[in-house]
Amino acid sequence: MRKHIKTTEAIFPMPVLMVATYNEDGTVDVMNAAWGTMLERDHVILNLTETHKTVKNIKARKAFTVSIADAAHMTEADYFGVVSGNNTPDKFAKSGLTAQKSALVDAPIIAEFPICMECEFIQYQDGEYGCGVIGRVVNTTADESVLDGDKVDIEKVSAIAFDPYTHGYYKVTQRVGNAFQDGLALK
């Protein structure tokens, strides 16, 4: 039997994405964004409002990075979601994390997060059903510790997902099947 439950503001589970930019003074800004995904193979879409300091920075710098948050840095990732760059300009410094400048876009790469997509800003959509920031991925890097040869090993990444029903973070680690293959058994 199915039961009616309260609809949340999201589809479960949600990624925990770290969106990083530079402020106007060159300091690093990072925000936690769960409302984001791939738009197509080399484009990301982030459902962010213009009130975010990060969106202002993206528009000004025409670039940003998107990193995958991991269990080892869950506290820092959550901090980037509960503290606003509009009110706490030095929030990145308080996190204790480190950043390096991307060689390809005008945005920082946060060293501690295992996977990073470097993006150039394409456009901001703000209509009734506008989606926010759209960017083109110009490069993706991964820390060698999460690679198996040239491929990312999701178990090594220990990525976290956000549960909007309980406001919890969960590790995404266990493989349960093979995409585009296991379903063929029903063909």
Side-chain angles (χ1 to χ4, degrees):
M1 173 183 222
R2 298 187 65 82
K3 181 179 178 182
H4 292 277
I5 62 173
K6 181 182 176 192
T7 301
T8 71
E9 65 279 0
I11 295 173
F12 167 85
M14 300 174 74
V16 181
L17 305 173
M18 299 292 100
V19 182
T21 62
Y22 286 119
N23 292 311
E24 32 315 305
D25 65 0
T27 58
V28 174
D29 171 68
V30 183
M31 75 171 288
N32 180 325
W35 292 7
T37 190
M38 298 303 295
L39 180 60
E40 56 183 317
R41 185 167 300 278
D42 64 347
H43 287 76
V44 295
I45 189 165
L46 306 170
N47 189 347
L48 306 174
T49 64
E50 291 180 289
T51 59
H52 292 290
K53 176 69 172 158
T54 305
V55 173
K56 295 171 188 167
N57 291 342
I58 289 170
K59 287 179 161 186
R61 297 283 186 150
K62 308 293 185 214
F64 59 99
T65 59
V66 178
S67 295
I68 306 299
D70 62 345
H73 301 95
M74 182 277 308
T75 300
E76 294 88 344
D78 190 58
Y79 171 74
F80 292 137
V82 297
V83 175
S84 170
N86 287 319
N87 305 321
T88 309
D90 62 344
K91 77 176 189 176
F92 182 75
K94 289 182 177 185
S95 76
L97 300 182
T98 56
Q100 63 188 56
K101 181 165 179 23
S102 163
L104 301 173
V105 298
D106 187 16
I109 296 170
I110 311 308
E112 290 79 5
F113 294 122
I115 300 172
C116 180
M117 294 179 283
E118 300 162 65
C119 305
E120 63 182 20
F121 175 61
I122 300 294
Q123 74 177 79
Y124 185 86
Q125 295 182 351
D126 63 354
E128 181 180 359
Y129 298 104
C131 57
V133 174
I134 298 173
R136 184 175 74 83
V137 179
V138 298
N139 190 43
T140 302
T141 61
D143 188 276
E144 290 180 357
S145 67
V146 301
L147 296 177
D148 184 7
D150 288 337
K151 295 189 179 192
V152 173
D153 181 333
I154 192 70
E155 291 184 14
K156 291 178 181 177
V157 172
S158 197
I160 56 175
F162 171 66
D163 169 13
Y165 289 97
T166 66
H167 293 170
Y169 292 112
Y170 294 86
K171 285 185 3 177
V172 180
T173 57
Q174 186 179 11
R175 185 181 184 123
V176 296
N178 300 296
F180 311 109
Q181 184 177 341
D182 290 350
L184 296 176
L186 301 176
K187 208 169 176 185

